[in-house]
């Protein structure tokens, strides 16, 4: 939220756009690419705690950004007060975390006690639990992405039967999802419009990298005495 606020303010002031457009630009640019972060950090000699912290921050960025962009681009922007919008975002995030944590904890205990007839069924059971977290959170009007991410974190840090098999299937699905994501992004890009967007992109990127991110890191970590 600190990155979004700083980037939005700079975009609003420097590019002379309306507040709604500035928030969307700030929100979309401020969230790190979790796939790239995970891929790069796994090959760097960092302390386990620091790597886990950065990975968690990157993964937890997406749900609030998706909620914020959805709210700003919907009719709720004009019909709701700032306090009401903040309440909606808070509700979706908190309930998403609770649902994901509950499904992950209970699901891990259930899978550990179950005696499935084949090792290939364990990865499917874990995938099914993630769908349960996603669907339950959606039914409650909360962030389904936050729920499935937290459920995945809980399940991934639990000693599950046939863990190696499950990790292999999960990694394969993750690669397939990444490939599909970048193919879709490439199809949505119009090469002829890139030059027109380049000055704005460079400005937003520079503000985010040189100002917004350092400010957000300082605000977030100073209370925890991280050097």
């Amino acid at each position: 939220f600190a990155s979004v606020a700083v980037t939005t303010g700079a975009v609003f002031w420097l590019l002379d756009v309306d507040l709604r457009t500035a928030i969307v630009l700030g929100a979309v640019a401020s969230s790190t690419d979790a796939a790239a972060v995970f891929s790069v950090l796994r090959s760097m000699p960092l302390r386990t705690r620091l790597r886990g912290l950065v990975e968690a921050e990157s993964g937890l960025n997406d749900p609030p950004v998706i909620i914020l962009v959805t709210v700003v681009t919907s009719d709720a922007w004009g019909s709701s007060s700032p306090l009401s919008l903040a309440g909606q975002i808070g509700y979706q995030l908190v309930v998403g975390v609770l649902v994901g944590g509950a499904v992950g904890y209970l699901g891990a205990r259930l899978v550990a006690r179950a005696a499935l007839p084949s090792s290939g069924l364990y990865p499917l059971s874990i995938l099914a639990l993630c769908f349960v977290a996603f669907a339950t959170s959606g039914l409650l009007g909360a962030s389904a992405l936050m729920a499935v991410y937290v459920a995945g974190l809980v399940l991934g840090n639990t000693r599950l039967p046939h863990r190696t098999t499950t990790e292999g299937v999960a990694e394969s699905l993750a690669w397939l999802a990444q490939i599909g994501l970048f193919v879709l992004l490439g199809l949505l890009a119009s090469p002829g419009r890139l030059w027109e967007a380049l000055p704005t992109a460079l400005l937003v990127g520079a503000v985010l990298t040189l100002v917004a991110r350092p400010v957000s890191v300082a605000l977030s970590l100073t209370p925890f005495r991280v050097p």
Side-chain angles (χ1 to χ4, degrees), residues 64-203:
V65 164
I66 290 174
I67 295 170
L68 182 60
V69 171
T70 302
V71 169
V72 172
T73 56
S74 69
D75 294 336
W77 173 257
S79 59
S80 303
S81 65
L83 187 61
S84 173
L85 294 177
Q88 289 182 44
I89 295 173
Y91 169 82
Q92 291 197 39
L93 294 178
V94 171
V95 175
V97 169
L98 294 176
V99 169
V103 171
Y105 175 75
L106 296 175
R109 294 175 67 88
L110 176 64
V111 172
R113 292 174 180 271
L116 299 177
S118 171
S119 61
L121 292 175
Y122 285 91
L124 296 180
S125 66
I126 298 301
L127 186 62
L129 287 170
C130 292
F131 276 111
V132 169
F134 190 95
T136 304
S137 185
L139 287 173
L140 295 174
S143 172
L145 184 59
M146 177 65 83
V148 77
Y149 182 71
V150 172
L153 281 179
V154 174
L155 291 166
N157 287 280
T158 305
R159 291 184 178 180
L160 298 170
H162 300 284
R163 181 183 176 89
T164 303
T165 304
T166 302
E167 286 181 342
V169 173
E171 187 173 4
S172 298
L173 291 175
W175 274 108
L176 182 62
Q178 284 188 66
I179 292 168
L181 170 67
F182 287 112
V183 168
L184 288 174
L185 287 175
L187 292 173
L188 290 171
S190 300
R193 299 175 60 190
L194 292 180
W195 288 109
E196 179 186 349
L198 187 60
T200 301
L202 291 175
L203 177 63

Side-chain angles (χ1 to χ4, degrees), residues 29-81:
S30 294
S31 181
T32 54
D33 183 351
V37 168
F38 278 62
S39 176
V40 170
L41 291 184
R42 293 297 165 86
S43 61
M44 296 180 67
L46 296 176
R47 293 180 180 178
T48 303
R49 178 173 176 269
L50 177 59
R51 184 171 63 242
L53 185 67
V54 177
E55 287 179 352
E57 184 271 344
S58 182
L60 291 170
N61 264 339
D62 289 337
V65 164
I66 290 174
I67 295 170
L68 182 60
V69 171
T70 302
V71 169
V72 172
T73 56
S74 69
D75 294 336
W77 173 257
S79 59
S80 303
S81 65

Side-chain angles (χ1 to χ4, degrees), residues 3-4 6-7 26 28-31 203-214:
S3 294
V4 172
V6 173
T7 308
V28 171
S30 294
S31 181
L203 177 63
V204 174
V207 170
L208 175 65
T209 305
L210 302 176
V211 182
R213 270 287 164 180

